[in-house]
Amino acid sequence: MWGYSAASGSKGENLDFAYGQYIACSLNFIMFPSMHSKLLLTFLLLLAFQAAGQNFQNLTLKECIELAKKNSLSLASAKLSEQTAASSLIQAKNARLPGLSGSISQDVVDGVPFNDPSNFDYLTTLGIRVSSSMPIFTGGRIRHSINQAEYRNEISKLNSDAVERTLSEQIIRAYMQVWSLIESENSAKAALALSKRLLARDSILYSSGSFTATDLALAFAQVAGDSLSLLQAESNLTQNYTALRQLLEIPQDRIFSLSPPDSAVSKSNESYVALLRKAERNSISKQIDSLSILAADEAIEIAKSGRKPNINLSAGAGSNLRWGTSDPNYGLQLKNRFNYSASLGLSISIIDWGATSHSILSAQVAKEQQQISALNTQKQLENAIEQLALQVETYRLQWEVSVIQMAAQQLALDKSVQQHELGMLDVSSLIQQQTIFNNSQIRHNQAKYSYLLGKSLLNLQTGNF
């Protein structure tokens, strides 16, 4: 449901009333404990109804954007991806820390088949061991992995910002379209009202013999045409209002209305160079490209670390327990068989059949592709700002001219109506003047909201929104 009707009582008054009822319920609970269950249920339902009755009236453009961000499932999904990237960063840092693992093994079959094939023992030995290992030198692999994870973590946050900006652009377009159609509907209502007023007068003149049937038919046709135009305007407005409401995730049964655009004054743009500089600083895509190139550099270094030796420090401790023994003192067995070790290991790849070279080449190609993507992003940004700036300036001039033209056509229409009422202008000439005025209103409306839309999008791109 949309419109401009206000609900009876403000939201604050409704909540105050509900709170007062809640206090009364609490007092009744103290004084009459046997009634507390029904009263509590009743007033909890009342509070729920009050909350459910929230209205979305007179929303500004910024309020629409904030509401869309709050309700957007796409943005919520992007925020979840941030958690994965943050966890990957933690895991990359944890690779420097020593690991700890434990193992328990139970022999199932034990024997010496070649010396005594007939002698097999079952479930003879239980082994218990704890071991740990820590990297000492990895050729920079861990350090570069951490750097890469940090870049990807920042990229995940920027991806959420990019979703927000895309959502903001969708809201701006839908909001301006709705207001453009609101003005079109108002113009259609005014045109129909004028046509009906003139038809009423022309019908009287026709009855008195001053007008011909042809003149009256033209007046009827004008009313029919204006009625159809109004129906079309109302239908378009309803569809676009519904699309905006759905984009904001507002339930169908809630009251929904919009405030006019904050500023409806035309102003000249800054120079293209100044706009582009601001857009570059505010571009999320450029920031993502820069971080992606840095992450690609780290990927190359990670691949190169495969050619370097690795040194690990490892240690372990454990013991064995023999079940089938004449000495049942298992604690003493564990103590006597306890062993520990610590070792420093060096490993280096000698022949890997080109696997490391392939990894390095793949990482280098990925970086070059990312650099090409960054150049493409810069070019697209330059083209978008240039086109948007030209469009905004063109619509600004059209808007200023259309204001003058519409005022002139309004004066001409008022004069034509007066002449028609005095019998000095026939119906066809009056309809022609009405058509000229209606067209001037359409041009004015298109120029005005095309300018406001372009200006808002330009402000969004340059960080001035």
Side-chain angles (χ1 to χ4, degrees):
M1 178 178 181
W2 56 268
Y4 301 95
S5 60
S8 58
S10 65
K11 180 169 61 177
E13 291 172 349
N14 291 335
L15 292 177
D16 288 343
F17 171 77
Y19 181 72
Q21 296 298 319
Y22 175 75
I23 295 298
C25 173
S26 301
L27 292 175
N28 285 329
F29 172 75
I30 296 172
M31 298 176 64
F32 307 102
S34 60
M35 301 173 58
H36 79 277
S37 298
K38 293 183 178 179
L39 287 173
L40 183 60
L41 178 60
T42 301
F43 287 105
L44 284 177
L45 290 174
L46 175 61
L47 289 174
F49 285 134
Q50 293 293 333
Q54 181 184 3
N55 294 329
F56 300 90
Q57 293 180 313
N58 299 323
L59 295 179
T60 64
L61 176 56
K62 291 186 177 180
E63 289 174 341
C64 287
I65 291 175
E66 292 303 318
L67 183 61
K69 291 178 181 179
K70 178 181 177 181
N71 296 335
S72 173
L73 297 179
S74 299
L75 184 56
S77 177
K79 292 293 184 182
L80 289 176
S81 298
E82 292 184 27
Q83 298 180 17
T84 303
S87 178
S88 297
L89 176 58
I90 294 174
Q91 292 303 310
K93 292 180 178 179
N94 289 343
R96 287 174 170 169
L97 303 177
L100 180 66
S101 60
S103 63
I104 300 177
S105 61
Q106 172 66 61
D107 287 351
V108 178
V109 180
D110 185 16
V112 185
F114 294 105
N115 293 336
D116 188 0
S118 62
N119 185 14
F120 286 96
D121 294 325
Y122 299 93
L123 303 175
T124 58
T125 304
L126 175 68
I128 302 173
R129 189 167 187 80
V130 177
S131 59
S132 177
S133 64
M134 182 177 68
I136 302 299
F137 178 76
T138 62
R141 176 178 54 82
I142 294 179
R143 174 168 53 86
H144 293 299
S145 296
I146 292 174
N147 293 339
Q148 186 183 49
E150 288 178 342
Y151 295 140
R152 288 176 175 172
N153 186 44
E154 293 299 320
I155 289 174
S156 69
K157 296 177 182 178
L158 289 172
N159 285 331
S160 297
D161 294 340
V163 173
E164 285 189 1
R165 185 164 296 182
T166 300
L167 184 62
S168 298
E169 181 175 341
Q170 293 175 336
I171 297 299
I172 290 172
R173 292 182 182 277
Y175 175 90
M176 292 301 178
Q177 180 66 17
V178 166
W179 270 105
S180 175
L181 293 171
I182 287 175
E183 292 208 8
S184 296
E185 182 190 45
N186 293 336
S187 299
K189 288 179 179 179
L192 179 60
L194 176 61
S195 297
K196 286 182 176 180
R197 180 167 65 86
L198 294 175
L199 175 61
R201 180 185 178 281
D202 293 347
S203 298
I204 296 174
L205 294 177
Y206 174 76
S207 300
S208 63
S210 300
F211 264 37
T212 64
T214 302
D215 292 335
L216 188 61
L218 290 174
F220 268 113
Q222 184 65 22
V223 171
D226 289 340
S227 298
L228 179 59
S229 297
L230 178 58
L231 288 175
Q232 291 175 339
E234 290 174 341
S235 176
N236 291 336
L237 178 57
T238 300
Q239 291 177 5
N240 283 269
Y241 235 123
T242 301
L244 178 57
R245 177 184 57 77
Q246 292 175 346
L247 197 58
L248 297 176
E249 300 291 345
I250 296 177
Q252 191 273 339
D253 58 343
R254 303 292 177 84
I255 298 177
F256 170 46
S257 62
L258 301 175
S259 291
D262 296 334
S263 176
V265 179
S266 62
K267 295 191 302 182
S268 299
N269 289 327
E270 299 178 78
S271 66
Y272 166 70
V273 175
L275 290 173
L276 179 59
R277 189 178 298 112
K278 288 183 178 180
E280 288 174 342
R281 289 196 299 265
N282 192 54
S283 174
I284 297 175
S285 297
K286 284 184 64 65
Q287 297 177 51
I288 291 177
D289 285 338
S290 298
L291 291 173
S292 297
I293 291 174
L294 294 175
D297 285 331
E298 300 298 335
I300 294 174
E301 296 302 322
I302 293 172
K304 288 181 177 178
S305 67
R307 291 175 172 170
K308 299 177 181 179
N310 286 271
I311 300 176
N312 289 322
L313 176 64
S314 59
S319 183
N320 293 326
L321 176 65
R322 297 283 297 182
W323 302 116
T325 179
S326 58
D327 183 6
N329 193 339
Y330 300 127
L332 186 60
Q333 285 190 50
L334 292 174
K335 178 180 178 181
N336 292 335
R337 291 185 173 89
F338 177 78
N339 64 85
Y340 61 89
S341 65
S343 61
L344 193 65
L346 172 67
S347 63
I348 185 170
S349 176
I350 298 176
I351 300 176
D352 64 358
W353 306 109
T356 301
S357 298
H358 173 72
S359 298
I360 295 173
L361 177 62
S362 299
Q364 290 173 339
V365 170
K367 178 184 176 181
E368 292 177 2
Q369 291 175 336
Q370 191 57 54
Q371 289 173 330
I372 294 174
S373 177
L375 292 174
N376 186 50
T377 298
Q378 175 66 25
K379 191 62 179 178
Q380 288 181 345
L381 181 63
E382 293 174 358
N383 294 340
I385 296 300
E386 183 179 12
Q387 293 176 1
L388 197 54
L390 289 175
Q391 291 173 0
V392 169
E393 184 63 18
T394 299
Y395 289 132
R396 182 185 71 83
L397 295 175
Q398 291 179 357
W399 184 14
E400 293 178 352
V401 171
S402 67
V403 171
I404 300 174
Q405 290 179 339
M406 190 173 67
Q409 296 301 332
Q410 180 68 65
L411 293 174
L413 177 60
D414 293 342
K415 183 177 180 181
S416 298
V417 171
Q418 292 175 358
Q419 290 176 341
H420 178 70
E421 290 176 344
L422 295 174
M424 300 171 59
L425 188 68
D426 58 21
V427 175
S428 60
S429 298
L430 176 60
I431 291 175
Q432 183 179 5
Q433 186 57 49
Q434 283 181 276
T435 302
I436 294 174
F437 174 72
N438 292 340
N439 290 337
S440 69
Q441 279 188 316
I442 293 173
R443 288 192 297 270
H444 169 74
N445 187 38
Q446 289 176 342
K448 175 182 177 181
Y449 284 99
S450 294
Y451 167 79
L452 293 177
L453 172 60
K455 188 66 174 178
S456 297
L457 295 178
L458 191 60
N459 290 338
L460 185 66
Q461 293 286 345
T462 57
N464 294 327
F465 186 78

